[in-house]
Amino acid sequence: MSVQVVAAKMAEVELKDINSKSLPAAMPVVQKQEEKSVVKSQTAVPSTSPAVSAAAKVAAAPEEPTLPTPSPNLMKMPQASVLKRTEPQHNGGEAFINPDGTVTEAPKTVKKQIQFADQKQEFNKRTTKIGRRSLSRSISQSSTDSYSSAASYTDSSDDETSPRDKQQKNSKGNGDFCIKNIKQADFGRREIEIAEQAARPACAEMPALMALRKRAQGEKPLAGAKIVGCTHITAQTAVLMETLAALGAQCRWAACNIYSTQNEVAAALAEGGFAVFAWKGESEDDFWWCIDRCVNVEGWQPNMILDDGGDLTHWIYKKYPNMFKKIKGIVEESVTGVHRLYQLSKAGKLCVPAMNVNDSVTKQKFDNLYCCRESILDGLKRTTDVMFGGKQVVVCGYGEVGKGCSAALKAMGSIVYVTEIDPICALQACMDGFRLVKLNEVIRQVDIVITCTGNKNVVVREYLDRMKNGCIVCNMGHSNTEIDVASLRTPELTWERVRSQVDHVIWPDGKRIVLLAEGRLLNLSCSTVPTFVLSITATTQALALIELYNAPEGRYKQDVYLLPKKMDEYVASLHLPTFDAHLTELTDEQAKYLGLNKNGPFKPNYYRY
């Protein structure tokens, strides 16, 4: 039998099959609620289009449908070695020629294509204007919001309206706050409850902060304290704020980063009576306006400052210097803010005692090292979906943050270079197996550039111009001064927003770099940080506030102090039960031999952990 005759017979078989009024009874409909629309679409879509090949139809079909009971010919299908295959027909069908000359139809290829086309039509039908907006938001932001639920809980109808232009009140009629949307409060409360649940020993993610709340709640060591804070506003920070309130303090809060606020958490805090002024995506003007609203309020003056970056302290010093007459102390968390405090102290302009939490052992070793070791990967994955294996990465700075980032990337198979100004840190990098280079030596070849120095102008326009096409540039330091982003805002360069906090900066020749969070802190701008680490940092901050607020006059002068070693050890001890860890105790003889108290502190202040 010739191939032409077989093709003619196959066309008759296919046309007869297509002209059937409905699907076979044995074929189930994919979604029950769409049964009518499925049948309607299948009869409407032409199956004889020559534009789609049989292979494309099979590949496009999402899953194999349940077929009708096969014919006797199919049940007695000859072995593959004795089958001959015809050319694909115009309608996408295929046939097998059996040795006896009969023609066997390939199983229902056309109907798989019809189902696929129908599904596509149904998808387009269901994507209304609101649906498309939600889908677009899901695609562009779900992997990059500071918390995965933030995108889901945001009312897109409010996205274009600045919170400063809205009058909002909580359920008690209080309007002393400015956030994205107070309607998100219920969702935010669930986020905070998750963090609090994780804070209990059974879940063991934030044990110390809840233990501190339980132990000190009866004593109210912060009764009368009026704390103005400027930190990242996340569910874990909310647990800290509510702990401070439980210990007797009044709080007013702003965000230290324009991208890191979890809007639903801010709403929950506002609903709970906290004066919160923050939302995700603030402008520079909004940022300073929020800080001012926290500070400049009639009938309320702060007597304690909790800062992260030094912006709040700077604003009060610049705009309201007389407030320092009643402020008892400053607690600063970041290396940038601590650097500012030391500058004020050196110039004789520091008006109150300040506690350097950043250089406490529990903050530096755990938040800076272990936290960044995990969150650098999270931030890069959520924003770029990059594969780390084999990538060439340069990490600028080998302090605790740089050590964490380098170790994580090396473990993922990246080739890691390190830049460093300090010979001691440089030697550590070499001993850890990293190649120490100058940035200009590798800038043309690396795939990822990460800054974590706390300095300014680490990556300048000269280096940005020389980067390879597609190079990812990000910052793990607190401030946005490390990457010279301002030099990229020139007429010859084009900025293209890819997704939330991911920009392509395009050169005239077509080269582009991928800039994350506009050079701001990557992990808290684009992802999250481990709750357990935040428990350590938040507990350290709370103890520092208690210490400065209750210290007798004269104990601390107008200078910058480290957290007492005993408090560092106490914070660490509160987290040990999480791991079912058991400390060894010194005997009296051993304690005497070492000249130590059996209960600590166990190391002198100059000890390097």
Side-chain angles (χ1 to χ4, degrees):
M1 184 178 292
S2 68
V3 174
Q4 288 84 354
V5 174
V6 173
K9 289 187 176 183
M10 274 305 302
E12 291 176 5
V13 172
E14 293 292 333
L15 286 171
K16 181 179 179 181
D17 183 63
I18 292 167
N19 289 331
S20 60
K21 293 182 180 180
S22 61
L23 293 173
M27 182 177 289
V29 178
V30 176
Q31 294 184 12
K32 211 177 227 181
Q33 60 186 354
E34 297 173 7
E35 183 172 353
K36 293 182 180 179
S37 60
V38 169
V39 175
K40 182 178 179 181
S41 298
Q42 287 178 341
T43 58
V45 177
S47 60
T48 57
S49 171
V52 184
S53 68
K57 291 176 181 179
V58 173
E63 64 179 67
E64 185 76 22
T66 305
L67 296 174
T69 305
S71 65
N73 286 336
L74 285 176
M75 296 293 289
K76 298 178 181 179
M77 184 73 74
Q79 294 181 359
S81 59
V82 297
L83 288 178
K84 294 182 181 179
R85 187 179 291 249
T86 69
E87 294 296 324
Q89 304 302 304
H90 288 295
N91 59 10
E94 276 188 4
F96 293 103
I97 304 173
N98 298 324
D100 59 0
T102 60
V103 178
T104 301
E105 180 185 355
K108 304 295 179 185
T109 303
V110 173
K111 291 184 179 175
K112 284 191 277 188
Q113 170 58 19
I114 292 172
Q115 188 178 14
F116 170 73
D118 166 70
Q119 288 174 342
K120 186 173 181 180
Q121 281 193 356
E122 285 302 308
F123 177 80
N124 290 334
K125 276 186 199 174
R126 294 193 297 270
T127 310
T128 61
K129 183 175 181 181
I130 295 175
R132 283 194 296 272
R133 184 191 306 145
S134 301
L135 177 66
S136 173
R137 179 173 177 80
S138 170
I139 292 171
S140 64
Q141 290 195 2
S142 63
S143 63
T144 56
D145 277 338
S146 64
Y147 200 81
S148 58
S149 58
S152 303
Y153 301 150
T154 298
D155 182 359
S156 58
S157 63
D158 291 339
D159 285 350
E160 302 303 322
T161 306
S162 170
R164 292 169 63 173
D165 299 330
K166 293 189 287 188
Q167 296 293 327
Q168 301 182 78
K169 293 185 182 297
N170 62 16
S171 61
K172 299 177 183 177
N174 179 19
D176 187 20
F177 58 85
C178 188
I179 59 170
K180 188 70 174 179
N181 189 350
I182 191 64
K183 295 177 183 178
Q184 297 176 353
D186 288 342
F187 297 115
R189 177 50 53 189
R190 292 173 197 169
E191 301 283 4
I192 296 170
E193 287 173 355
I194 290 171
E196 287 180 336
Q197 287 293 328
R200 293 172 186 171
C203 299
E205 283 297 304
M206 287 186 77
L209 199 59
M210 296 302 286
L212 180 64
R213 184 190 297 189
K214 184 177 180 180
R215 294 182 187 185
Q217 193 168 3
E219 303 173 6
K220 303 286 185 185
L222 291 176
K226 296 180 178 180
I227 303 172
V228 60
C230 184
T231 67
H232 302 283
I233 296 181
T234 63
Q236 293 80 14
T237 304
V239 178
L240 169 63
M241 292 171 63
E242 293 183 346
T243 297
L244 297 177
L247 301 183
Q250 299 177 30
C251 300
R252 296 179 69 84
W253 229 263
C256 69
N257 185 295
I258 64 174
Y259 291 130
S260 64
T261 299
Q262 294 175 5
N263 286 331
E264 71 277 12
V265 171
L269 288 169
E271 177 62 31
F274 287 92
V276 178
F277 300 86
W279 59 92
K280 187 181 182 72
E282 299 169 5
S283 67
E284 198 75 20
D285 181 63
D286 292 334
F287 175 78
W288 294 111
W289 180 86
C290 288
I291 289 178
D292 191 74
R293 284 293 305 272
C294 278
V295 175
N296 185 20
V297 55
E298 186 177 351
W300 194 92
Q301 182 171 324
N303 52 25
M304 294 294 297
I305 295 173
L306 177 56
D307 210 353
D308 186 351
D311 291 320
L312 173 59
T313 303
H314 168 77
W315 188 257
I316 296 176
Y317 180 80
K318 179 181 177 181
K319 296 287 186 178
Y320 310 103
N322 289 333
M323 285 189 177
F324 281 110
K325 294 178 180 179
K326 292 189 176 181
I327 291 176
K328 292 188 174 184
I330 302 168
V331 175
E332 173 57 55
E333 179 185 354
S334 75
V335 63
T336 304
V338 166
H339 180 64
R340 288 179 171 184
L341 289 175
Y342 279 120
Q343 286 181 324
L344 287 173
S345 178
K346 187 176 180 180
K349 296 180 180 180
L350 186 61
C351 307
V352 295
M355 195 72 77
N356 172 5
V357 169
N358 179 74
D359 290 317
S360 65
V361 178
T362 44
K363 166 65 169 64
Q364 190 175 75
K365 286 293 180 184
F366 297 93
D367 194 334
N368 294 6
L369 175 62
Y370 300 119
C371 169
C372 294
R373 191 172 68 182
E374 298 191 19
S375 60
I376 179 63
L377 302 179
D378 187 20
L380 286 170
K381 278 288 186 185
R382 290 199 196 198
T383 50
T384 66
D385 302 313
V386 65
M387 178 118 182
F388 298 113
K391 291 293 189 299
Q392 296 191 58
V393 184
V394 60
V395 177
C396 302
Y398 202 68
E400 299 300 333
V401 174
K403 288 181 175 69
C405 293
S406 300
L409 290 161
K410 181 181 179 181
M412 296 299 292
S414 298
I415 302 164
V416 182
Y417 305 97
V418 170
T419 72
E420 182 55 69
I421 62 170
D422 186 331
I424 297 175
C425 292
L427 183 58
Q428 286 180 311
C430 293
M431 296 295 288
D432 288 338
F434 301 107
R435 183 182 168 196
L436 190 75
V437 297
K438 291 183 178 180
L439 187 56
N440 63 353
E441 296 172 356
V442 296
I443 196 63
R444 289 186 183 275
Q445 68 194 59
V446 293
D447 302 290
I448 305 174
V449 178
I450 303 170
T451 58
C452 38
T453 67
N455 204 342
K456 66 180 293 186
N457 294 335
V458 178
V459 179
V460 293
R461 178 61 186 269
E462 175 193 354
Y463 295 143
L464 294 163
D465 287 336
R466 294 168 58 194
M467 288 177 183
K468 68 191 291 187
N469 184 45
C471 183
I472 299 169
V473 186
C474 63
N475 171 44
M476 282 291 286
H478 175 84
S479 179
N480 63 338
T481 58
E482 301 201 33
I483 302 168
D484 188 9
V485 177
S487 70
L488 297 175
R489 301 190 185 279
T490 55
E492 74 272 14
L493 300 183
T494 303
W495 284 61
E496 180 180 270
R497 176 54 58 97
V498 181
R499 57 171 69 164
S500 178
Q501 299 174 57
V502 182
D503 291 290
H504 283 180
V505 184
I506 307 170
W507 269 250
D509 63 357
K511 184 200 86 169
R512 64 183 62 201
I513 64 170
V514 183
L515 181 64
L516 305 183
E518 297 184 15
R520 296 180 185 273
L521 179 60
L522 173 69
N523 56 2
L524 275 163
S525 295
C526 302
S527 60
T528 60
V529 296
T531 301
F532 186 81
V533 166
L534 289 181
S535 175
I536 297 173
T537 302
T539 307
T540 305
Q541 290 171 317
L543 288 174
L545 286 167
I546 293 171
E547 172 65 14
L548 282 178
Y549 183 70
N550 291 283
E553 189 174 351
R555 175 182 292 179
Y556 297 107
K557 297 180 171 57
Q558 297 172 351
D559 205 348
V560 184
Y561 294 86
L562 289 172
L563 195 71
K565 183 72 67 175
K566 185 67 177 174
M567 289 189 186
D568 254 336
E569 293 177 352
Y570 177 63
V571 172
S573 68
L574 289 176
H575 289 85
L576 288 177
T578 298
F579 306 101
D580 192 25
H582 305 277
L583 280 172
T584 300
E585 295 182 7
L586 290 173
T587 65
D588 292 338
E589 184 180 0
Q590 289 172 325
K592 183 177 180 181
Y593 178 77
L594 294 174
L596 298 175
N597 188 309
K598 288 179 65 175
N599 299 316
F602 299 98
K603 299 288 189 296
N605 288 331
Y606 57 79
Y607 182 82
R608 298 289 180 259
Y609 288 84

